[in-house]
Amino acid sequence: MDHAADAFRTDLMTITRFVLNEQSKHPESRGDFSILLSHIVLGCKFVCAAVNKAGLAKLIGLAGETNVQGEEQKKLDVLSNEVFVKALVSSGRTCILVSEEDEEAIIVEPSKRGKYCVVFDPLDGSSNIDCGVSIGTIFGIYMIKDGGEARLEDVLQPGKNMLAAGYCMYGSSCTFVLSTGSGVNGFTLDPSLGEFILTHPDIKIPKKGKIYSVNEGNAKNWDGPTAKFVEKCKFPKDGSPAKSLRYIGSMVADVHRTLLYGGVFLYPADKKSPNGKLRVLYEVFPMSFLMEQAGGQSFTGKERALDLVPKKIHERSPIFLGSYDDVEEIKALYAAEEKA
Ligand code: FDP
């Protein structure tokens, strides 16, 4: 990207303009999706402002509650969840919501109901809040199955049925990454305009990467293929250079780097957590959707991640996602183990 030319850009592709352009490719569209997305974007802008002000506003600290996963809830988690639930319900376009922070799915009251189901983690990576490390919001959007009553089955669909997915990263800049099923585009918030501007058009992940990203503190509990893969990253036997390790411990930030620079992000199963740590609906699926749309792959250790059919809304799954060739290597290691 030509940054000098960018500084003088006068034809700004805002996210609203981008989505309306996409909408115009579907003459039958009534704009419902664009309206839904504008409410998600509003939620992200609010959370971005709250994250930036957190230290000053004394928002950091425990809210005195624990969430469904038994983790301590911070004030910012509570706030972000409330903002997103209210923004999504008031859009009039949603019928069922699943949030990381709420044990039960939220069924939208009939007068405000639309045809979309939204699964989201309002503030992922929350253990990083207090030290100012990048955190983010992750979301995925499904269409209600038969257009009738909203039921739990509508959000227990495989990830490949998602219509759209994305995340917003609250970091040194606020970046919104979106796929509506035809590629991946990244937008950066211009704080002076209050608008997300297209800065990363048509993101493609490098076919092979030089980075691996994993919590190596769990290594003693890993299964064979994971241990072998990480060993290969550090001590390659084919003459290729060793890979670098980068692990932030905040999924949005680790996946964002993986998407832009290439490589692989893994949160495998281990003896202590046979299903891994990350949640299928609002972590594994949206990130896998984006990876595939950017030309990468995502694998659970058993199958393509987007083929998984969740049975529970807060289900977890192991995950290996990133550059096509790197994930291919992991798949080969699992296939070899199964054969053995
Ligand atoms: P966090 O616990 O800080 O909320 O699933 C949440 C998550 O962060 C991810 O964002 C992150 O990738 C992962 O957990 C980090 O887990 P470890 O601390 O076990 O490495």
Side-chain angles (χ1 to χ4, degrees):
M1 187 167 276
D2 182 347
H3 293 286
D6 266 6
F8 300 103
R9 250 194 319 169
T10 50
D11 188 20
L12 302 175
M13 179 61 82
T14 63
I15 193 161
T16 312
R17 181 175 157 195
F18 180 87
V19 171
L20 289 174
N21 279 355
E22 291 291 300
Q23 184 191 315
S24 66
K25 294 177 192 158
H26 307 276
E28 74 289 354
S29 162
R30 293 183 320 175
D32 288 334
F33 183 79
S34 307
I35 291 171
L36 170 63
L37 207 69
S38 70
H39 281 73
I40 293 178
V41 166
L42 176 68
C44 293
K45 285 184 192 168
F46 181 94
V47 175
C48 178
V51 168
N52 288 340
K53 278 191 295 208
L56 291 170
K58 296 203 187 341
L59 282 167
I60 288 175
L62 301 182
E65 289 173 43
T66 52
N67 68 11
V68 253
Q69 328 292 341
E71 298 158 337
E72 286 173 332
Q73 245 183 21
K74 309 269 171 156
K75 279 185 181 167
L76 270 178
D77 305 48
V78 180
L79 189 67
S80 309
N81 193 41
E82 276 179 29
V83 166
F84 275 101
V85 169
K86 286 180 182 156
L88 290 167
V89 171
S90 68
S91 75
R93 302 301 185 277
T94 58
C95 52
I96 177 160
L97 309 176
V98 171
S99 164
E100 198 256 358
E101 297 293 335
D102 294 312
E103 191 164 358
E104 306 289 340
I106 298 170
I107 308 284
V108 177
E109 62 178 89
S111 64
K112 294 188 176 143
R113 215 171 267 176
K115 60 188 173 191
Y116 294 108
C117 315
V118 183
V119 291
F120 62 103
D121 187 343
L123 205 54
D124 190 79
S126 47
S127 63
N128 292 289
I129 294 175
D130 291 359
C131 57
V133 169
S134 298
I135 45 184
T137 297
I138 312 174
F139 64 90
I141 302 174
Y142 291 108
M143 174 84 83
I144 189 169
K145 263 180 166 170
D146 56 13
E149 276 297 293
R151 287 165 310 160
L152 212 52
E153 292 90 272
D154 293 308
V155 284
L156 296 176
Q157 303 188 52
K160 64 184 172 198
N161 290 1
M162 279 184 172
L163 300 179
Y167 60 78
C168 186
M169 185 178 71
Y170 313 109
S172 53
S173 56
C174 179
T175 311
F176 191 95
V177 174
L178 172 71
S179 176
T180 53
S182 51
V184 180
N185 290 282
F187 303 81
T188 305
L189 184 65
D190 180 333
S192 59
L193 297 174
E195 290 276 8
F196 281 101
I197 309 292
L198 180 65
T199 47
H200 297 75
D202 196 19
I203 297 172
K204 293 282 174 238
I205 183 169
K207 192 155 178 288
K208 190 167 177 59
K210 297 181 182 135
I211 298 172
Y212 73 104
S213 183
V214 65
N215 184 343
E216 285 219 56
N218 296 329
K220 76 173 166 60
N221 291 319
W222 285 344
D223 63 15
T226 303
K228 277 186 196 145
F229 176 73
V230 172
E231 184 74 2
K232 269 179 89 179
C233 291
K234 298 200 264 194
F235 304 102
K237 296 211 171 79
D238 58 1
S240 58
K243 289 191 195 302
S244 292
L245 167 65
R246 298 281 184 274
Y247 188 69
I248 300 167
S250 173
M251 190 188 196
V252 176
D254 280 315
V255 169
H256 188 63
R257 183 202 54 247
T258 306
L259 202 56
L260 296 188
Y261 296 174
V264 62
F265 167 83
L266 39 150
Y267 209 112
D270 64 41
K271 281 182 212 133
K272 271 189 2 219
S273 325
N275 296 320
K277 177 182 182 189
L278 301 180
R279 275 56 66 102
V280 171
L281 276 183
Y282 38 81
E283 292 183 311
V284 169
F285 278 172
M287 296 312 202
S288 301
F289 189 90
L290 291 166
M291 276 299 157
E292 286 199 3
Q293 286 293 322
Q297 295 198 71
S298 182
F299 178 61
T300 63
K302 290 197 175 92
E303 60 187 326
R304 174 188 175 213
L306 293 179
D307 283 341
L308 211 158
V309 184
K311 292 189 185 62
K312 291 186 298 189
I313 59 173
H314 296 295
E315 191 167 312
R316 298 171 196 259
S317 168
I319 187 72
F320 305 85
L321 54 79
S323 292
Y324 192 95
D325 288 355
D326 294 323
V327 178
E328 206 58 21
E329 267 185 42
I330 296 170
K331 284 161 81 175
L333 290 167
Y334 274 96
E337 187 185 71
E338 202 169 316
K339 230 173 166 189

